[in-house]
PDB file of all heavy atoms in Angstrom:
ATOM      1  N   ILE A1150      21.324  -9.800  11.354  1.00  0.00           N
ATOM      2  CA  ILE A1150      21.036 -11.055  10.651  1.00  0.00           C
ATOM      3  C   ILE A1150      21.929 -11.230   9.418  1.00  0.00           C
ATOM      4  O   ILE A1150      21.797 -12.205   8.686  1.00  0.00           O
ATOM      5  CB  ILE A1150      19.551 -11.165  10.242  1.00  0.00           C
ATOM      6  CG1 ILE A1150      19.173 -10.075   9.233  1.00  0.00           C
ATOM      7  CG2 ILE A1150      18.652 -11.139  11.469  1.00  0.00           C
ATOM      8  CD1 ILE A1150      17.766 -10.255   8.657  1.00  0.00           C
ATOM      9  N   GLY A1151      22.842 -10.292   9.198  1.00  0.00           N
ATOM     10  CA  GLY A1151      23.838 -10.449   8.150  1.00  0.00           C
ATOM     11  C   GLY A1151      23.513  -9.804   6.824  1.00  0.00           C
ATOM     12  O   GLY A1151      24.132 -10.119   5.807  1.00  0.00           O
ATOM     13  N   SER A1152      22.572  -8.866   6.806  1.00  0.00           N
ATOM     14  CA  SER A1152      22.216  -8.192   5.558  1.00  0.00           C
ATOM     15  C   SER A1152      23.118  -6.984   5.341  1.00  0.00           C
ATOM     16  O   SER A1152      23.168  -6.078   6.169  1.00  0.00           O
ATOM     17  CB  SER A1152      20.755  -7.744   5.580  1.00  0.00           C
ATOM     18  OG  SER A1152      20.444  -7.016   4.408  1.00  0.00           O
ATOM     19  N   HIS A1153      23.807  -6.966   4.203  1.00  0.00           N
ATOM     20  CA  HIS A1153      24.644  -5.819   3.854  1.00  0.00           C
ATOM     21  C   HIS A1153      24.007  -4.978   2.748  1.00  0.00           C
ATOM     22  O   HIS A1153      24.453  -3.864   2.483  1.00  0.00           O
ATOM     23  CB  HIS A1153      26.027  -6.288   3.411  1.00  0.00           C
ATOM     24  CG  HIS A1153      26.928  -6.626   4.552  1.00  0.00           C
ATOM     25  ND1 HIS A1153      27.910  -5.775   5.012  1.00  0.00           N
ATOM     26  CD2 HIS A1153      26.969  -7.718   5.345  1.00  0.00           C
ATOM     27  CE1 HIS A1153      28.527  -6.330   6.046  1.00  0.00           C
ATOM     28  NE2 HIS A1153      27.980  -7.513   6.263  1.00  0.00           N
ATOM     29  N   TYR A1154      22.974  -5.511   2.116  1.00  0.00           N
ATOM     30  CA  TYR A1154      22.248  -4.788   1.066  1.00  0.00           C
ATOM     31  C   TYR A1154      20.771  -4.771   1.447  1.00  0.00           C
ATOM     32  O   TYR A1154      20.124  -5.813   1.470  1.00  0.00           O
ATOM     33  CB  TYR A1154      22.454  -5.459  -0.297  1.00  0.00           C
ATOM     34  CG  TYR A1154      23.881  -5.392  -0.774  1.00  0.00           C
ATOM     35  CD1 TYR A1154      24.808  -6.356  -0.373  1.00  0.00           C
ATOM     36  CD2 TYR A1154      24.318  -4.360  -1.609  1.00  0.00           C
ATOM     37  CE1 TYR A1154      26.132  -6.302  -0.796  1.00  0.00           C
ATOM     38  CE2 TYR A1154      25.634  -4.297  -2.034  1.00  0.00           C
ATOM     39  CZ  TYR A1154      26.528  -5.265  -1.625  1.00  0.00           C
ATOM     40  OH  TYR A1154      27.834  -5.196  -2.031  1.00  0.00           O
ATOM     41  N   MET A1155      20.258  -3.598   1.735  1.00  0.00           N
ATOM     42  CA  MET A1155      18.907  -3.466   2.271  1.00  0.00           C
ATOM     43  C   MET A1155      18.041  -2.610   1.362  1.00  0.00           C
ATOM     44  O   MET A1155      18.450  -1.530   0.927  1.00  0.00           O
ATOM     45  CB  MET A1155      18.942  -2.825   3.662  1.00  0.00           C
ATOM     46  CG  MET A1155      19.893  -3.482   4.632  1.00  0.00           C
ATOM     47  SD  MET A1155      20.013  -2.552   6.187  1.00  0.00           S
ATOM     48  CE  MET A1155      21.555  -3.218   6.845  1.00  0.00           C
ATOM     49  N   GLN A1156      16.870  -3.114   1.098  1.00  0.00           N
ATOM     50  CA  GLN A1156      15.878  -2.346   0.350  1.00  0.00           C
ATOM     51  C   GLN A1156      14.702  -2.068   1.278  1.00  0.00           C
ATOM     52  O   GLN A1156      14.099  -3.002   1.812  1.00  0.00           O
ATOM     53  CB  GLN A1156      15.400  -3.119  -0.878  1.00  0.00           C
ATOM     54  CG  GLN A1156      14.368  -2.351  -1.700  1.00  0.00           C
ATOM     55  CD  GLN A1156      13.921  -3.114  -2.934  1.00  0.00           C
ATOM     56  OE1 GLN A1156      14.447  -4.184  -3.230  1.00  0.00           O
ATOM     57  NE2 GLN A1156      12.954  -2.581  -3.647  1.00  0.00           N
ATOM     58  N   PHE A1157      14.405  -0.803   1.482  1.00  0.00           N
ATOM     59  CA  PHE A1157      13.276  -0.406   2.328  1.00  0.00           C
ATOM     60  C   PHE A1157      12.161   0.107   1.420  1.00  0.00           C
ATOM     61  O   PHE A1157      12.360   1.063   0.672  1.00  0.00           O
ATOM     62  CB  PHE A1157      13.700   0.664   3.333  1.00  0.00           C
ATOM     63  CG  PHE A1157      14.662   0.157   4.372  1.00  0.00           C
ATOM     64  CD1 PHE A1157      16.033   0.392   4.262  1.00  0.00           C
ATOM     65  CD2 PHE A1157      14.211  -0.580   5.452  1.00  0.00           C
ATOM     66  CE1 PHE A1157      16.927  -0.084   5.207  1.00  0.00           C
ATOM     67  CE2 PHE A1157      15.093  -1.059   6.414  1.00  0.00           C
ATOM     68  CZ  PHE A1157      16.458  -0.814   6.289  1.00  0.00           C
ATOM     69  N   MET A1158      11.013  -0.528   1.500  1.00  0.00           N
ATOM     70  CA  MET A1158       9.908  -0.209   0.607  1.00  0.00           C
ATOM     71  C   MET A1158       8.723   0.323   1.406  1.00  0.00           C
ATOM     72  O   MET A1158       8.145  -0.393   2.232  1.00  0.00           O
ATOM     73  CB  MET A1158       9.488  -1.454  -0.181  1.00  0.00           C
ATOM     74  CG  MET A1158       8.418  -1.183  -1.227  1.00  0.00           C
ATOM     75  SD  MET A1158       8.134  -2.622  -2.302  1.00  0.00           S
ATOM     76  CE  MET A1158       7.290  -3.707  -1.144  1.00  0.00           C
ATOM     77  N   PRO A1159       8.360   1.587   1.200  1.00  0.00           N
ATOM     78  CA  PRO A1159       7.219   2.140   1.932  1.00  0.00           C
ATOM     79  C   PRO A1159       5.911   1.506   1.497  1.00  0.00           C
ATOM     80  O   PRO A1159       5.678   1.279   0.309  1.00  0.00           O
ATOM     81  CB  PRO A1159       7.258   3.631   1.569  1.00  0.00           C
ATOM     82  CG  PRO A1159       7.930   3.658   0.222  1.00  0.00           C
ATOM     83  CD  PRO A1159       8.940   2.550   0.250  1.00  0.00           C
ATOM     84  N   VAL A1160       5.077   1.187   2.462  1.00  0.00           N
ATOM     85  CA  VAL A1160       3.754   0.639   2.170  1.00  0.00           C
ATOM     86  C   VAL A1160       2.734   1.767   2.232  1.00  0.00           C
ATOM     87  O   VAL A1160       2.411   2.283   3.302  1.00  0.00           O
ATOM     88  CB  VAL A1160       3.371  -0.472   3.168  1.00  0.00           C
ATOM     89  CG1 VAL A1160       1.921  -0.896   2.963  1.00  0.00           C
ATOM     90  CG2 VAL A1160       4.294  -1.672   3.001  1.00  0.00           C
ATOM     91  N   VAL A1161       2.283   2.181   1.066  1.00  0.00           N
ATOM     92  CA  VAL A1161       1.192   3.155   0.966  1.00  0.00           C
ATOM     93  C   VAL A1161       0.198   2.566  -0.015  1.00  0.00           C
ATOM     94  O   VAL A1161       0.390   2.634  -1.221  1.00  0.00           O
ATOM     95  CB  VAL A1161       1.685   4.531   0.469  1.00  0.00           C
ATOM     96  CG1 VAL A1161       0.502   5.497   0.361  1.00  0.00           C
ATOM     97  CG2 VAL A1161       2.727   5.099   1.411  1.00  0.00           C
ATOM     98  N   GLU A1162      -0.820   1.946   0.505  1.00  0.00           N
ATOM     99  CA  GLU A1162      -1.791   1.264  -0.342  1.00  0.00           C
ATOM    100  C   GLU A1162      -3.179   1.862  -0.139  1.00  0.00           C
ATOM    101  O   GLU A1162      -3.532   2.301   0.958  1.00  0.00           O
ATOM    102  CB  GLU A1162      -1.835  -0.237  -0.035  1.00  0.00           C
ATOM    103  CG  GLU A1162      -0.507  -0.959  -0.191  1.00  0.00           C
ATOM    104  CD  GLU A1162      -0.066  -1.107  -1.632  1.00  0.00           C
ATOM    105  OE1 GLU A1162      -0.815  -0.672  -2.540  1.00  0.00           O
ATOM    106  OE2 GLU A1162       1.024  -1.660  -1.859  1.00  0.00           O
ATOM    107  N   TYR A1163      -3.921   1.868  -1.216  1.00  0.00           N
ATOM    108  CA  TYR A1163      -5.312   2.285  -1.163  1.00  0.00           C
ATOM    109  C   TYR A1163      -6.191   1.095  -1.515  1.00  0.00           C
ATOM    110  O   TYR A1163      -5.827   0.268  -2.351  1.00  0.00           O
ATOM    111  CB  TYR A1163      -5.563   3.440  -2.128  1.00  0.00           C
ATOM    112  CG  TYR A1163      -5.066   4.777  -1.612  1.00  0.00           C
ATOM    113  CD1 TYR A1163      -3.707   5.054  -1.549  1.00  0.00           C
ATOM    114  CD2 TYR A1163      -5.957   5.745  -1.168  1.00  0.00           C
ATOM    115  CE1 TYR A1163      -3.243   6.259  -1.065  1.00  0.00           C
ATOM    116  CE2 TYR A1163      -5.496   6.968  -0.687  1.00  0.00           C
ATOM    117  CZ  TYR A1163      -4.142   7.219  -0.633  1.00  0.00           C
ATOM    118  OH  TYR A1163      -3.679   8.414  -0.146  1.00  0.00           O
ATOM    119  N   VAL A1164      -7.326   1.001  -0.845  1.00  0.00           N
ATOM    120  CA  VAL A1164      -8.250  -0.096  -1.105  1.00  0.00           C
ATOM    121  C   VAL A1164      -9.569   0.458  -1.646  1.00  0.00           C
ATOM    122  O   VAL A1164      -9.989   1.568  -1.298  1.00  0.00           O
ATOM    123  CB  VAL A1164      -8.515  -0.937   0.165  1.00  0.00           C
ATOM    124  CG1 VAL A1164      -7.252  -1.644   0.611  1.00  0.00           C
ATOM    125  CG2 VAL A1164      -9.051  -0.061   1.301  1.00  0.00           C
ATOM    126  N   ASN A1165     -10.195  -0.329  -2.505  1.00  0.00           N
ATOM    127  CA  ASN A1165     -11.496   0.047  -3.033  1.00  0.00           C
ATOM    128  C   ASN A1165     -12.513   0.047  -1.896  1.00  0.00           C
ATOM    129  O   ASN A1165     -12.550  -0.877  -1.078  1.00  0.00           O
ATOM    130  CB  ASN A1165     -11.911  -0.935  -4.128  1.00  0.00           C
ATOM    131  CG  ASN A1165     -13.231  -0.562  -4.768  1.00  0.00           C
ATOM    132  OD1 ASN A1165     -14.303  -0.905  -4.265  1.00  0.00           O
ATOM    133  ND2 ASN A1165     -13.166   0.135  -5.891  1.00  0.00           N
ATOM    134  N   THR A1166     -13.333   1.083  -1.837  1.00  0.00           N
ATOM    135  CA  THR A1166     -14.269   1.222  -0.722  1.00  0.00           C
ATOM    136  C   THR A1166     -15.346   0.149  -0.710  1.00  0.00           C
ATOM    137  O   THR A1166     -15.941  -0.125   0.333  1.00  0.00           O
ATOM    138  CB  THR A1166     -14.943   2.608  -0.770  1.00  0.00           C
ATOM    139  OG1 THR A1166     -15.531   2.802  -2.070  1.00  0.00           O
ATOM    140  CG2 THR A1166     -13.938   3.714  -0.502  1.00  0.00           C
ATOM    141  N   GLU A1167     -15.604  -0.480  -1.855  1.00  0.00           N
ATOM    142  CA  GLU A1167     -16.637  -1.517  -1.921  1.00  0.00           C
ATOM    143  C   GLU A1167     -16.064  -2.914  -1.705  1.00  0.00           C
ATOM    144  O   GLU A1167     -16.625  -3.714  -0.961  1.00  0.00           O
ATOM    145  CB  GLU A1167     -17.355  -1.452  -3.273  1.00  0.00           C
ATOM    146  CG  GLU A1167     -18.130  -0.151  -3.493  1.00  0.00           C
ATOM    147  CD  GLU A1167     -18.798  -0.103  -4.855  1.00  0.00           C
ATOM    148  OE1 GLU A1167     -18.637  -1.083  -5.631  1.00  0.00           O
ATOM    149  OE2 GLU A1167     -19.473   0.896  -5.145  1.00  0.00           O
ATOM    150  N   THR A1168     -14.934  -3.210  -2.337  1.00  0.00           N
ATOM    151  CA  THR A1168     -14.368  -4.563  -2.253  1.00  0.00           C
ATOM    152  C   THR A1168     -13.329  -4.714  -1.151  1.00  0.00           C
ATOM    153  O   THR A1168     -12.993  -5.823  -0.753  1.00  0.00           O
ATOM    154  CB  THR A1168     -13.707  -4.946  -3.588  1.00  0.00           C
ATOM    155  OG1 THR A1168     -12.579  -4.075  -3.817  1.00  0.00           O
ATOM    156  CG2 THR A1168     -14.694  -4.799  -4.738  1.00  0.00           C
ATOM    157  N   ASN A1169     -12.795  -3.575  -0.675  1.00  0.00           N
ATOM    158  CA  ASN A1169     -11.708  -3.551   0.308  1.00  0.00           C
ATOM    159  C   ASN A1169     -10.437  -4.199  -0.220  1.00  0.00           C
ATOM    160  O   ASN A1169      -9.577  -4.612   0.537  1.00  0.00           O
ATOM    161  CB  ASN A1169     -12.132  -4.230   1.616  1.00  0.00           C
ATOM    162  CG  ASN A1169     -11.448  -3.597   2.821  1.00  0.00           C
ATOM    163  OD1 ASN A1169     -11.258  -2.375   2.868  1.00  0.00           O
ATOM    164  ND2 ASN A1169     -11.074  -4.411   3.788  1.00  0.00           N
ATOM    165  N   ARG A1170     -10.308  -4.280  -1.550  1.00  0.00           N
ATOM    166  CA  ARG A1170      -9.121  -4.822  -2.196  1.00  0.00           C
ATOM    167  C   ARG A1170      -8.171  -3.688  -2.563  1.00  0.00           C
ATOM    168  O   ARG A1170      -8.601  -2.577  -2.894  1.00  0.00           O
ATOM    169  CB  ARG A1170      -9.513  -5.567  -3.476  1.00  0.00           C
ATOM    170  CG  ARG A1170     -10.345  -6.823  -3.232  1.00  0.00           C
ATOM    171  CD  ARG A1170      -9.449  -8.014  -3.033  1.00  0.00           C
ATOM    172  NE  ARG A1170     -10.158  -9.265  -3.168  1.00  0.00           N
ATOM    173  CZ  ARG A1170      -9.575 -10.443  -3.247  1.00  0.00           C
ATOM    174  NH1 ARG A1170      -8.265 -10.519  -3.248  1.00  0.00           N
ATOM    175  NH2 ARG A1170     -10.287 -11.557  -3.331  1.00  0.00           N
ATOM    176  N   ILE A1171      -6.878  -3.969  -2.529  1.00  0.00           N
ATOM    177  CA  ILE A1171      -5.887  -2.981  -2.942  1.00  0.00           C
ATOM    178  C   ILE A1171      -6.132  -2.595  -4.388  1.00  0.00           C
ATOM    179  O   ILE A1171      -6.391  -3.443  -5.241  1.00  0.00           O
ATOM    180  CB  ILE A1171      -4.463  -3.537  -2.762  1.00  0.00           C
ATOM    181  CG1 ILE A1171      -4.158  -3.687  -1.262  1.00  0.00           C
ATOM    182  CG2 ILE A1171      -3.430  -2.630  -3.422  1.00  0.00           C
ATOM    183  CD1 ILE A1171      -2.825  -4.339  -0.970  1.00  0.00           C
ATOM    184  N   THR A1172      -6.058  -1.295  -4.660  1.00  0.00           N
ATOM    185  CA  THR A1172      -6.417  -0.806  -5.989  1.00  0.00           C
ATOM    186  C   THR A1172      -5.365   0.168  -6.512  1.00  0.00           C
ATOM    187  O   THR A1172      -4.420   0.525  -5.804  1.00  0.00           O
ATOM    188  CB  THR A1172      -7.815  -0.148  -5.960  1.00  0.00           C
ATOM    189  OG1 THR A1172      -8.248   0.145  -7.282  1.00  0.00           O
ATOM    190  CG2 THR A1172      -7.791   1.137  -5.140  1.00  0.00           C
ATOM    191  N   SER A1173      -5.532   0.599  -7.747  1.00  0.00           N
ATOM    192  CA  SER A1173      -4.559   1.472  -8.410  1.00  0.00           C
ATOM    193  C   SER A1173      -4.972   2.932  -8.290  1.00  0.00           C
ATOM    194  O   SER A1173      -6.118   3.244  -7.945  1.00  0.00           O
ATOM    195  CB  SER A1173      -4.429   1.083  -9.885  1.00  0.00           C
ATOM    196  OG  SER A1173      -5.667   1.230 -10.546  1.00  0.00           O
ATOM    197  N   PRO A1174      -4.044   3.879  -8.599  1.00  0.00           N
ATOM    198  CA  PRO A1174      -4.334   5.309  -8.426  1.00  0.00           C
ATOM    199  C   PRO A1174      -5.496   5.838  -9.255  1.00  0.00           C
ATOM    200  O   PRO A1174      -6.058   6.891  -8.923  1.00  0.00           O
ATOM    201  CB  PRO A1174      -3.017   5.976  -8.852  1.00  0.00           C
ATOM    202  CG  PRO A1174      -1.980   4.953  -8.608  1.00  0.00           C
ATOM    203  CD  PRO A1174      -2.628   3.643  -8.923  1.00  0.00           C
ATOM    204  N   ASP A1175      -5.870   5.147 -10.330  1.00  0.00           N
ATOM    205  CA  ASP A1175      -6.962   5.668 -11.160  1.00  0.00           C
ATOM    206  C   ASP A1175      -8.346   5.213 -10.685  1.00  0.00           C
ATOM    207  O   ASP A1175      -9.348   5.463 -11.343  1.00  0.00           O
ATOM    208  CB  ASP A1175      -6.764   5.290 -12.633  1.00  0.00           C
ATOM    209  CG  ASP A1175      -6.557   3.796 -12.831  1.00  0.00           C
ATOM    210  OD1 ASP A1175      -6.685   3.050 -11.846  1.00  0.00           O
ATOM    211  OD2 ASP A1175      -6.266   3.392 -13.975  1.00  0.00           O
ATOM    212  N   ASP A1176      -8.415   4.559  -9.521  1.00  0.00           N
ATOM    213  CA  ASP A1176      -9.695   4.158  -8.936  1.00  0.00           C
ATOM    214  C   ASP A1176     -10.239   5.331  -8.121  1.00  0.00           C
ATOM    215  O   ASP A1176      -9.635   5.755  -7.142  1.00  0.00           O
ATOM    216  CB  ASP A1176      -9.495   2.926  -8.049  1.00  0.00           C
ATOM    217  CG  ASP A1176     -10.804   2.365  -7.515  1.00  0.00           C
ATOM    218  OD1 ASP A1176     -11.843   3.051  -7.622  1.00  0.00           O
ATOM    219  OD2 ASP A1176     -10.797   1.241  -6.990  1.00  0.00           O
ATOM    220  N   GLU A1177     -11.385   5.849  -8.511  1.00  0.00           N
ATOM    221  CA  GLU A1177     -11.955   7.018  -7.839  1.00  0.00           C
ATOM    222  C   GLU A1177     -12.618   6.658  -6.511  1.00  0.00           C
ATOM    223  O   GLU A1177     -12.849   7.530  -5.666  1.00  0.00           O
ATOM    224  CB  GLU A1177     -12.968   7.700  -8.756  1.00  0.00           C
ATOM    225  CG  GLU A1177     -12.339   8.275 -10.030  1.00  0.00           C
ATOM    226  CD  GLU A1177     -13.361   8.953 -10.922  1.00  0.00           C
ATOM    227  OE1 GLU A1177     -14.570   8.895 -10.588  1.00  0.00           O
ATOM    228  OE2 GLU A1177     -12.957   9.540 -11.943  1.00  0.00           O
ATOM    229  N   ASN A1178     -12.953   5.387  -6.329  1.00  0.00           N
ATOM    230  CA  ASN A1178     -13.629   4.961  -5.098  1.00  0.00           C
ATOM    231  C   ASN A1178     -12.653   4.193  -4.206  1.00  0.00           C
ATOM    232  O   ASN A1178     -12.693   2.964  -4.112  1.00  0.00           O
ATOM    233  CB  ASN A1178     -14.842   4.074  -5.436  1.00  0.00           C
ATOM    234  CG  ASN A1178     -15.857   4.780  -6.304  1.00  0.00           C
ATOM    235  OD1 ASN A1178     -16.248   5.907  -6.007  1.00  0.00           O
ATOM    236  ND2 ASN A1178     -16.273   4.131  -7.381  1.00  0.00           N
ATOM    237  N   CYS A1179     -11.752   4.930  -3.580  1.00  0.00           N
ATOM    238  CA  CYS A1179     -10.747   4.264  -2.767  1.00  0.00           C
ATOM    239  C   CYS A1179     -10.468   5.048  -1.487  1.00  0.00           C
ATOM    240  O   CYS A1179     -10.827   6.219  -1.363  1.00  0.00           O
ATOM    241  CB  CYS A1179      -9.459   4.070  -3.560  1.00  0.00           C
ATOM    242  SG  CYS A1179      -8.697   5.618  -4.111  1.00  0.00           S
ATOM    243  N   LYS A1180      -9.839   4.358  -0.546  1.00  0.00           N
ATOM    244  CA  LYS A1180      -9.447   4.970   0.722  1.00  0.00           C
ATOM    245  C   LYS A1180      -8.110   4.402   1.152  1.00  0.00           C
ATOM    246  O   LYS A1180      -7.689   3.317   0.713  1.00  0.00           O
ATOM    247  CB  LYS A1180     -10.505   4.689   1.795  1.00  0.00           C
ATOM    248  CG  LYS A1180     -10.670   3.205   2.116  1.00  0.00           C
ATOM    249  CD  LYS A1180     -11.722   2.977   3.190  1.00  0.00           C
ATOM    250  CE  LYS A1180     -11.870   1.471   3.497  1.00  0.00           C
ATOM    251  NZ  LYS A1180     -12.895   1.223   4.535  1.00  0.00           N
ATOM    252  N   LEU A1181      -7.406   5.121   2.012  1.00  0.00           N
ATOM    253  CA  LEU A1181      -6.094   4.711   2.482  1.00  0.00           C
ATOM    254  C   LEU A1181      -6.218   3.460   3.350  1.00  0.00           C
ATOM    255  O   LEU A1181      -7.069   3.390   4.243  1.00  0.00           O
ATOM    256  CB  LEU A1181      -5.444   5.836   3.281  1.00  0.00           C
ATOM    257  CG  LEU A1181      -3.989   5.633   3.707  1.00  0.00           C
ATOM    258  CD1 LEU A1181      -3.079   5.629   2.486  1.00  0.00           C
ATOM    259  CD2 LEU A1181      -3.570   6.741   4.670  1.00  0.00           C
ATOM    260  N   ALA A1182      -5.383   2.474   3.089  1.00  0.00           N
ATOM    261  CA  ALA A1182      -5.389   1.240   3.876  1.00  0.00           C
ATOM    262  C   ALA A1182      -4.808   1.501   5.263  1.00  0.00           C
ATOM    263  O   ALA A1182      -3.867   2.285   5.409  1.00  0.00           O
ATOM    264  CB  ALA A1182      -4.594   0.160   3.162  1.00  0.00           C
ATOM    265  N   PRO A1183      -5.334   0.840   6.305  1.00  0.00           N
ATOM    266  CA  PRO A1183      -4.916   1.130   7.686  1.00  0.00           C
ATOM    267  C   PRO A1183      -3.473   0.780   7.995  1.00  0.00           C
ATOM    268  O   PRO A1183      -2.910   1.286   8.966  1.00  0.00           O
ATOM    269  CB  PRO A1183      -5.883   0.275   8.530  1.00  0.00           C
ATOM    270  CG  PRO A1183      -6.354  -0.805   7.600  1.00  0.00           C
ATOM    271  CD  PRO A1183      -6.411  -0.165   6.245  1.00  0.00           C
ATOM    272  N   TRP A1184      -2.851  -0.096   7.213  1.00  0.00           N
ATOM    273  CA  TRP A1184      -1.458  -0.478   7.466  1.00  0.00           C
ATOM    274  C   TRP A1184      -0.458   0.469   6.808  1.00  0.00           C
ATOM    275  O   TRP A1184       0.745   0.307   6.960  1.00  0.00           O
ATOM    276  CB  TRP A1184      -1.212  -1.906   6.977  1.00  0.00           C
ATOM    277  CG  TRP A1184      -1.647  -2.134   5.552  1.00  0.00           C
ATOM    278  CD1 TRP A1184      -0.990  -1.763   4.420  1.00  0.00           C
ATOM    279  CD2 TRP A1184      -2.854  -2.770   5.118  1.00  0.00           C
ATOM    280  NE1 TRP A1184      -1.702  -2.112   3.307  1.00  0.00           N
ATOM    281  CE2 TRP A1184      -2.850  -2.751   3.695  1.00  0.00           C
ATOM    282  CE3 TRP A1184      -3.929  -3.369   5.772  1.00  0.00           C
ATOM    283  CZ2 TRP A1184      -3.882  -3.291   2.935  1.00  0.00           C
ATOM    284  CZ3 TRP A1184      -4.950  -3.907   5.020  1.00  0.00           C
ATOM    285  CH2 TRP A1184      -4.930  -3.872   3.625  1.00  0.00           C
ATOM    286  N   SER A1185      -0.934   1.463   6.064  1.00  0.00           N
ATOM    287  CA  SER A1185      -0.049   2.363   5.333  1.00  0.00           C
ATOM    288  C   SER A1185       0.768   3.241   6.272  1.00  0.00           C
ATOM    289  O   SER A1185       0.285   3.696   7.308  1.00  0.00           O
ATOM    290  CB  SER A1185      -0.864   3.255   4.385  1.00  0.00           C
ATOM    291  OG  SER A1185      -1.507   2.475   3.398  1.00  0.00           O
ATOM    292  N   VAL A1186       2.010   3.501   5.888  1.00  0.00           N
ATOM    293  CA  VAL A1186       2.869   4.370   6.672  1.00  0.00           C
ATOM    294  C   VAL A1186       2.492   5.830   6.431  1.00  0.00           C
ATOM    295  O   VAL A1186       2.112   6.216   5.326  1.00  0.00           O
ATOM    296  CB  VAL A1186       4.356   4.124   6.309  1.00  0.00           C
ATOM    297  CG1 VAL A1186       4.658   4.545   4.871  1.00  0.00           C
ATOM    298  CG2 VAL A1186       5.288   4.839   7.276  1.00  0.00           C
ATOM    299  N   ASN A1187       2.576   6.630   7.475  1.00  0.00           N
ATOM    300  CA  ASN A1187       2.375   8.068   7.334  1.00  0.00           C
ATOM    301  C   ASN A1187       3.541   8.650   6.532  1.00  0.00           C
ATOM    302  O   ASN A1187       4.698   8.299   6.790  1.00  0.00           O
ATOM    303  CB  ASN A1187       2.316   8.710   8.723  1.00  0.00           C
ATOM    304  CG  ASN A1187       2.238  10.216   8.675  1.00  0.00           C
ATOM    305  OD1 ASN A1187       3.251  10.893   8.517  1.00  0.00           O
ATOM    306  ND2 ASN A1187       1.036  10.749   8.810  1.00  0.00           N
TER     307      ASN A1187
END
């Protein structure tokens, strides 16, 4: 498609177990999101 400059960004997200919203590392109530790369 003509891209000569590529940025690859790994998706590793955690979601809050109650809200199911993406959350930050300091959230103790979280789980790995199903779309995250191994």
Side-chain angles (χ1 to χ4, degrees):
I1150 64 172
S1152 176
H1153 280 259
Y1154 295 86
M1155 309 174 198
Q1156 180 179 355
F1157 292 100
M1158 185 171 72
V1160 172
V1161 179
E1162 302 289 358
Y1163 283 72
V1164 294
N1165 183 275
T1166 54
E1167 296 178 359
T1168 65
N1169 212 38
R1170 294 271 196 169
I1171 292 175
T1172 189
S1173 61
D1175 53 6
D1176 186 347
E1177 296 180 355
N1178 301 311
C1179 61
K1180 63 180 180 180
L1181 187 67
W1184 52 78
S1185 296
V1186 66
N1187 175 279

